[in-house]
Amino acid sequence: MKVLITGGAGFLGSHLAEAWIDRGHEITVLDPASDLKIRHLRANPRFRAIRESVLNREILEGLVAWSDLVYHLAAVVGVEHYVGDPYQVLTVNINGTQDVLTAAFRHQKKVVFTSTSEVYGRNTAVPFHEDSDRVLGSTTTDRWCYATSKAAGEHFCFAFARMGLRVVVLRYFNVYGPRLDQMDRGRVITIFMGQLLRGEPLTVIGDGVQTRAFAYVEDAVRATVQAGLRPEAEGLAINVGSEEEVSILDLAERMVRISGSASRVIRVPQEAVYARGYEDIPRRVPAVRRMREILGVRADTPLDDGLKRTIEWFKRQ
Ligand code: UDP
């Protein structure tokens, strides 16, 4: 198959490109970002990377026509952007998705759209099922622009599905692993990682009882590959995540223990890490029945194992 991955030079995309290359397919990555995370694939004749934005319609059109399957990962992601550059978040995430779907519809190509657990917002009824309500704050709080942009992308997916497009929506829950960007200030694991490596205290925001379920990237990628292959997934939203719920305080303590670092764990107010306009989510855990039954995948890498592999990777960098 010929597989197009928009945003394929990012964390998840680079692992996805590698997975499809390993399965013997032809991959094109469309991404304006540096190719650092995919440079090891460059020597492969079945791989090519095009350094362009998904908003370049002419190039996008040609690549969609070339492909058999489109993964649309290109998006502006990271809390610092939600509160720092909401215009860019909305433009790339909404208009880019509409453009990809329009091109895919014209050429009748299947699309897998990468959405996010953020769309559930601060709904307190965990675990989140795919048809759970979205509970979002006011539009005057910039933090919600990302969730809103991805939800708009999902609505576009379902609108195109009604017109006959084969499309799958995947909602990822806190995916982590090697190649997460240490400078990506939006993610707790990379922030803690940087602090560990520099011997600084780990900054737990608030009391640290807020929870997440972290999914190891290899598990998330297996689910993503299956979403591209299995017809049963078409027309659906499917959560991709782990059921192992941990508090952020627990996460910090585990990372200190596994890395053998001398760092302490401290509690800081939200403003010490994020700019104003940020609002935390107290609990986030996926319902994973669809992932298990429709995609046939479990995100069952234990957190300690995944953290160990991730910490080792960061230490080697
Ligand atoms: N967090 C933290 N310390 C930090 C960065 C984040 O305690 O230095 C917390 C944050 O408040 C949130 C959780 O870690 O409760 C996960 O944050 P992240 O930004 O990784 O992703 P989210 O799941 O909120 O989208």
Side-chain angles (χ1 to χ4, degrees):
M1 272 211 291
K2 295 190 177 85
V3 182
L4 171 64
I5 307 177
T6 73
F11 163 59
L12 185 64
S14 68
H15 286 278
L16 182 64
E18 198 173 293
W20 278 100
I21 284 281
D22 290 347
R23 295 173 80 98
H25 300 278
E26 260 182 80
I27 312 303
T28 297
V29 157
L30 175 66
D31 197 317
S34 128
D35 64 354
L36 227 60
K37 291 182 167 91
I38 46 172
R39 70 188 152 183
H40 60 295
L41 301 175
R42 277 200 167 277
N44 193 308
R46 287 183 284 106
F47 179 83
R48 75 180 158 155
I50 293 169
R51 217 161 157 177
E52 257 300 335
S53 166
V54 71
L55 295 177
N56 184 327
R57 284 194 181 154
E58 214 180 303
I59 288 188
L60 177 68
E61 186 78 28
L63 291 176
V64 169
W66 163 87
S67 70
D68 300 309
L69 171 64
V70 179
Y71 280 98
H72 178 42
L73 280 69
V76 178
V77 56
V79 175
E80 75 280 21
H81 297 296
Y82 316 160
V83 297
D85 195 359
Y87 178 81
Q88 198 61 12
V89 172
L90 294 164
T91 304
V92 174
N93 299 5
I94 299 178
N95 301 354
T97 300
Q98 185 179 13
D99 289 353
V100 168
L101 292 167
T102 304
F105 184 64
R106 202 162 18 240
H107 298 281
Q108 288 300 303
K109 303 298 167 70
K110 176 170 170 174
V111 179
V112 178
F113 173 59
T114 56
S115 186
T116 168
S117 54
E118 275 276 314
V119 297
Y120 298 106
R122 55 163 129 81
N123 188 338
T124 51
V126 290
F128 299 151
H129 293 266
E130 284 84 353
D131 51 6
S132 292
D133 286 341
R134 302 173 47 226
V135 183
L136 267 56
S138 162
T139 54
T140 56
T141 301
D142 289 331
R143 191 237 203 272
W144 301 110
C145 74
Y146 178 67
T148 301
S149 72
K150 282 291 188 177
E154 290 196 16
H155 273 301
F156 267 123
C157 288
F158 296 126
F160 273 102
R162 281 212 196 191
M163 298 190 277
L165 185 69
R166 292 177 299 141
V167 57
V168 185
V169 170
L170 299 179
R171 297 189 186 133
Y172 295 86
F173 284 67
N174 293 82
V175 181
Y176 74 100
R179 275 188 235 143
L180 258 181
D181 195 341
Q182 205 175 329
M183 298 314 289
D184 180 352
R185 299 220 7 105
R187 313 309 305 271
V188 66
I189 289 187
T190 45
I191 293 173
F192 285 174
M193 196 70 67
Q195 292 166 337
L196 279 179
L197 297 180
R198 294 187 299 270
E200 294 167 5
L202 271 58
T203 53
V204 169
I205 294 176
D207 51 16
V209 298
Q210 67 272 35
T211 69
R212 296 293 186 271
F214 295 93
Y216 191 59
V217 66
E218 280 176 16
D219 296 335
V221 164
R222 277 189 296 123
T224 310
V225 169
Q226 290 306 316
L229 294 174
R230 298 198 175 196
E232 311 90 277
E234 290 164 17
L236 295 177
I238 304 178
N239 289 337
V240 175
S242 153
E243 289 178 289
E244 190 179 351
E245 183 179 10
V246 290
S247 73
I248 297 302
L249 184 60
D250 183 8
L251 173 75
E253 285 166 351
R254 284 177 195 233
M255 288 181 68
V256 169
R257 175 171 48 76
I258 292 168
S259 66
S261 152
S263 289
R264 290 176 305 126
V265 174
I266 58 166
R267 293 184 173 82
V268 298
Q270 208 164 279
E271 306 75 60
V273 178
Y274 298 121
R276 286 165 61 88
Y278 177 75
E279 190 180 321
D280 208 350
I281 287 163
R283 262 185 99 189
R284 179 187 285 155
V285 186
V288 294
R289 212 177 101 186
R290 281 193 185 172
M291 179 173 73
R292 217 170 44 222
E293 292 180 359
I294 294 171
L295 303 181
V297 174
R298 286 169 195 270
D300 54 6
T301 301
L303 181 59
D304 279 4
D305 293 357
L307 285 176
K308 192 160 173 279
R309 284 188 242 168
T310 309
I311 290 168
E312 278 164 8
W313 182 86
F314 271 94
K315 281 185 172 167
R316 281 200 304 275
Q317 297 311 299

